[in-house]
Amino acid sequence: MFRALTFRAKLLASYVSLVVAVVAVAVLQLDRSLGAELRQKLDQRLEQQALGAAQWDDGEGRKHPEKIASRLAKVLSVDVTIFDDKGHAVGDSSPEPVGEGDVGPEVEAAVAGRVGRASRPSRQTGVDSYYVAVPGEGGWIIRLSVPLSDIQATVTS
């Protein structure tokens, strides 16, 4: 019924298999490097924005951290949460306020005086998000966050 494959057919099949394998490895490597580069750019942008936003305290902001968080969120196009020097949320730009226990490792690092970063699901929405928190003027901590869905959509498309 089936004839034995000729030498040419076997050679062609091996070349096609090799090309398919090389292309698959290249696509996977591009996928990884694109995702890593997009996250690095996002990290740099959020850190620069957070450091700039951390200088907002003019004395009046202490009275209305919710308004400051909302204004910063509109200007920066990110979610903004303001914490006091103990890590308690005092202002949030999202409609659902930060609850107790929503202090992630990024805020703990900022309380210790360092720039904190974390990639984790939001405890409020469950959406994978990237967080950057920086210590600011007057003991405030500014945390910026963005959903990772844009990066994931770019990498998977």
Side-chain angles (χ1 to χ4, degrees):
M1 202 181 222
F2 291 105
R3 294 185 317 173
L5 292 176
T6 64
F7 177 72
R8 282 182 157 168
K10 291 178 184 177
L11 187 61
L12 179 63
S14 66
Y15 282 142
V16 168
S17 299
L18 180 63
V19 168
V20 168
V22 167
V23 167
V25 168
V27 166
L28 288 174
Q29 185 61 30
L30 283 172
D31 184 51
R32 282 187 181 162
S33 65
L34 177 62
E37 186 171 332
L38 288 173
R39 280 184 185 246
Q40 180 184 16
K41 296 286 184 193
L42 175 65
D43 179 63
Q44 290 172 348
R45 178 180 65 96
L46 286 179
E47 183 177 350
Q48 288 173 350
Q49 288 177 332
L51 289 170
Q55 300 174 14
W56 63 269
D57 190 13
D58 59 0
E60 289 298 311
R62 290 192 178 275
K63 297 176 187 172
H64 305 287
E66 289 285 338
K67 290 181 182 179
I68 298 296
S70 294
R71 288 180 189 158
L72 287 171
K74 287 178 186 174
V75 170
L76 301 175
S77 299
V78 297
D79 289 330
V80 177
T81 308
I82 300 172
F83 296 86
D84 64 14
D85 59 351
K86 304 278 191 267
H88 300 107
V90 295
D92 195 352
S93 65
S94 70
E96 300 171 17
V98 172
E100 289 300 315
D102 193 33
V103 176
E106 72 282 358
V107 175
E108 292 170 1
V111 167
R114 302 182 313 269
V115 174
R117 297 171 173 81
S119 179
R120 61 181 168 81
S122 167
R123 292 183 178 128
Q124 294 171 316
T125 63
V127 174
D128 282 341
S129 298
Y130 190 75
Y131 299 88
V132 173
V134 299
E137 300 286 323
W140 294 112
I141 294 167
I142 307 294
R143 181 179 73 181
L144 306 184
S145 66
V146 293
L148 290 173
S149 56
D150 291 342
I151 289 178
Q152 292 165 345
T154 300
V155 170
T156 57
S157 63

